[in-house]
Amino acid sequence: MAGNITLTMIKPEAMRNNVAGGILKMIQDEGFKIIALKMKQLSLAEAEEFYAVHKERPFYDELVKFMTSGPIMAAVLQKENAVENFRNLLGSTNPETAGEGTIRKAYATNLTKNAAHGSDSDENAQLETSFHFSEKEIFG
Ligand code: GDP
């Protein structure tokens, strides 16, 4: 499976804005296959663990608070070179600089509330997939 999956989370503000369907359509139109999908609300402990790499950053508390503020939709996406291809579709972290045709350009609110997450490496794609899904929940 390595190299052809990535993990996305549609973030709470996009869920509140009712644009999950639009984001999933952009994902499918780009040729990604959704092989796992669930809606859940992250606990504080889960959000802290997921973003542990950013623990020392000034935006960490705000990020964790935001990510636990409502349900998210987690999905595993399959495509050749999934991590890089999905980050291209996602657009830059700051939506003000996100390119035309990207998810963040279309749907993000600001730097924290930037619509969706995408894994940044094949290794993290595997770790983040296991974080959200059991083997039985993945239909690859
Ligand atoms: P990503 O891979 O593009 O999601 O970006 P990172 O992994 O660097 O950061 C994780 C998340 O933290 C981002 O998606 C943003 O929601 C948030 N974030 C990153 N950098 C900043 C920042 O400088 N300020 C704020 N407020 N949030 C940030």
Side-chain angles (χ1 to χ4, degrees):
M1 209 154 67
N4 68 355
I5 63 157
T6 192
L7 184 286
T8 187
M9 291 187 291
I10 298 175
K11 298 189 179 186
E13 112 275 13
M15 297 296 288
R16 277 192 284 274
N17 291 341
N18 211 19
V19 297
I23 293 173
L24 292 175
K25 176 159 171 46
M26 286 180 79
I27 288 169
Q28 291 181 312
D29 285 351
E30 202 61 28
F32 291 91
K33 190 174 169 201
I34 298 168
I35 62 170
L37 179 67
K38 74 168 64 160
M39 195 165 153
K40 68 185 279 190
Q41 185 152 0
L42 294 175
S43 68
L44 189 62
E46 285 174 321
E48 285 175 349
E49 184 188 339
F50 192 91
Y51 286 109
V53 65
H54 294 306
K55 205 173 175 150
E56 306 305 327
R57 309 284 286 279
F59 59 83
Y60 179 72
D61 288 347
E62 185 187 352
L63 178 61
V64 164
K65 188 173 166 210
F66 163 60
M67 288 302 294
T68 57
S69 68
I72 56 115
M73 206 174 269
V76 182
L77 311 178
Q78 188 177 55
K79 187 183 176 175
E80 275 312 300
N81 204 12
V83 167
E84 188 185 346
N85 279 322
F86 185 65
R87 288 190 71 87
N88 288 340
L89 178 62
L90 197 51
S92 57
T93 307
N94 187 344
E96 283 178 23
T97 58
E100 287 298 332
T102 65
I103 289 170
R104 284 171 169 164
K105 177 74 176 180
Y107 293 118
T109 304
N110 58 40
L111 189 49
T112 304
K113 298 174 179 170
N114 60 4
H117 165 84
S119 307
D120 64 3
S121 66
D122 288 340
E123 187 189 356
N124 282 336
Q126 297 291 336
L127 290 171
E128 292 172 4
T129 293
S130 305
F131 181 93
H132 283 295
F133 296 96
S134 68
E135 274 185 35
K136 276 176 147 178
E137 293 175 314
I138 301 168
F139 299 89

